[in-house]
Amino acid sequence: MAPFKSSLGRSLGKLLGVSNQRDITLRGASFTSRYIVPPFSATGGNVLDGITPGNGYRYYAFIDPGNFIIENGSKSFDILVVAAGGGGGFAPSGNGSGGGGAGGISFLPNITLSSGTYPVIVGTGGPTGSGPFPGGVQGVNGGDSSFASSPNPYYILSKGGGGGETQGAPPGPSMAPGGSGGGGVSFRTGPPNAIQPSQNSHNPNILNYGNTGASGSGYNPGGWGGGGGAGGAGSFGPGGDGGPGGNGQPFPAFAAPLVELLLPAPNRPSFTPVVGPTGLYGGGGGAGDWSDSTSPTGGPGGGGRGGNGSGGSGSPSPALPGVIYTGGGGGGSGPAPPGSGGTGGPGIVIIRYLI
């Protein structure tokens, strides 16, 4: 007897997602159907469906906290977690200040993730330090960024960059610890701790990037230290000058041309040329300088330029913030205008998988 094709059979086919009536057979009270397997999907980040830039991968970027959601299967992912940079220090009259350290960076390649919900945290940039002198407040550390949650092996934690030191402020002989360390001020020569290298010990496949900020040179007048970068340490300046921030770390798989369309259009002119085709993230902030002869450079990869003062014949210039979504450290303040250190650059979390 041939299958009975009725309006009931056609309605049942629509309900089951089967368009061919031959897949529906009504024989008394029984029927058969093919099961349609839902396709793999992943959503989350600034653009829920990600982008496919033509290199065979799909990318997702988080610039705010959220959830990465995987449904209907598993795939191998590459995950880049960039913490926020620390704020630059404050410079009282006649002084300079330390540059903010870059946010620590973690990279986990080729990790298989299955269906589930993975929380993502993205750090915000640390504020600059403040006066009065002596006893002011140093630059504030940047916020941490993370993917998933402990104790899973795919949990990734990146620590915010250390704040740049303010002349005459606590904490004493040590520079500010952070993912990359904040830069120090004159006559303080203690260790500027970078704590990112010691993170994520639960998974040896997670690569960690963070370096020390520079201590003050100890000259009179003293030099001031640049913040550490993800790819290199900050440098101290000679007498009276601030030092440059440390270099960022390149991640070609997350180069600007591959991810820029995931970011808000107004932020791309700042982000794209800094991150560039090599994928530089995490430059340290340049130190503040009492003289107007130089403006200590921020580290390549988003570090803010240090400010300078009026200790010469030129014009003072303000410090600049770390570049948005790079985790760059903020530039340290020169003495004019007071308190004008740069804020740290916000972090970012970027995820990709091979299509």
Side-chain angles (χ1 to χ4, degrees):
M1 177 178 178
F4 176 60
K5 300 177 181 178
S6 67
S7 60
L8 176 60
R10 287 191 294 272
S11 298
L12 185 59
K14 292 179 180 179
L15 178 63
L16 295 173
V18 180
S19 60
N20 191 332
Q21 290 180 359
R22 289 180 298 177
D23 294 324
I24 305 300
T25 302
L26 296 177
R27 302 181 187 275
S30 65
F31 65 90
T32 60
S33 171
R34 289 199 305 262
Y35 175 68
I36 306 301
V37 178
F40 172 88
S41 70
T43 57
N46 197 42
V47 178
L48 292 180
D49 293 328
I51 60 168
T52 306
N55 66 340
Y57 288 84
R58 181 161 291 156
Y59 285 78
Y60 302 80
F62 286 81
I63 58 175
D64 295 300
N67 290 311
F68 187 61
I69 301 172
I70 300 173
E71 297 179 303
N72 307 318
S74 62
K75 284 188 180 292
S76 178
F77 293 85
D78 299 326
I79 306 172
L80 182 72
V81 179
V82 181
F90 168 81
S93 178
N95 286 273
S97 62
I105 299 179
S106 308
F107 177 46
L108 178 56
N110 302 320
I111 181 68
T112 299
L113 300 177
S114 302
S115 296
T117 298
Y118 302 85
V120 176
I121 301 297
V122 182
T124 57
T128 182
S130 61
F133 177 78
V137 178
Q138 72 176 38
V140 178
N141 283 27
D144 299 345
S145 296
S146 62
F147 177 84
S149 57
S150 180
N152 295 300
Y154 44 77
Y155 171 58
I156 308 170
L157 174 63
S158 294
K159 299 296 292 183
E165 284 209 301
T166 288
Q167 191 78 38
S174 295
M175 268 51 73
S180 286
V185 296
S186 57
F187 306 114
R188 291 191 188 167
T189 56
N193 296 323
I195 61 177
Q196 187 58 46
S198 64
Q199 305 301 310
N200 302 305
S201 59
H202 61 283
N203 187 339
N205 295 317
I206 299 175
L207 306 177
N208 295 284
Y209 301 89
N211 290 275
T212 60
S215 63
S217 66
Y219 296 147
N220 188 9
W224 295 277
S235 299
F236 67 83
D241 289 331
N247 291 345
Q249 177 69 28
F251 296 92
F254 302 94
L258 300 174
V259 302
E260 61 183 349
L261 293 179
L262 289 166
L263 306 179
N267 300 131
R268 295 174 198 164
S270 299
F271 173 90
T272 298
V274 168
V275 173
T278 61
L280 274 177
Y281 295 84
D289 191 342
W290 79 277
S291 169
D292 59 19
S293 59
T294 60
S295 293
T297 57
R305 182 194 69 197
N308 59 25
S310 55
S313 59
S315 299
S317 61
L320 296 182
V323 175
I324 194 166
Y325 310 140
T326 67
S333 170
S340 60
T343 56
I348 192 170
V349 175
I350 312 175
I351 303 164
R352 74 171 190 168
Y353 72 87
L354 187 65
I355 299 174

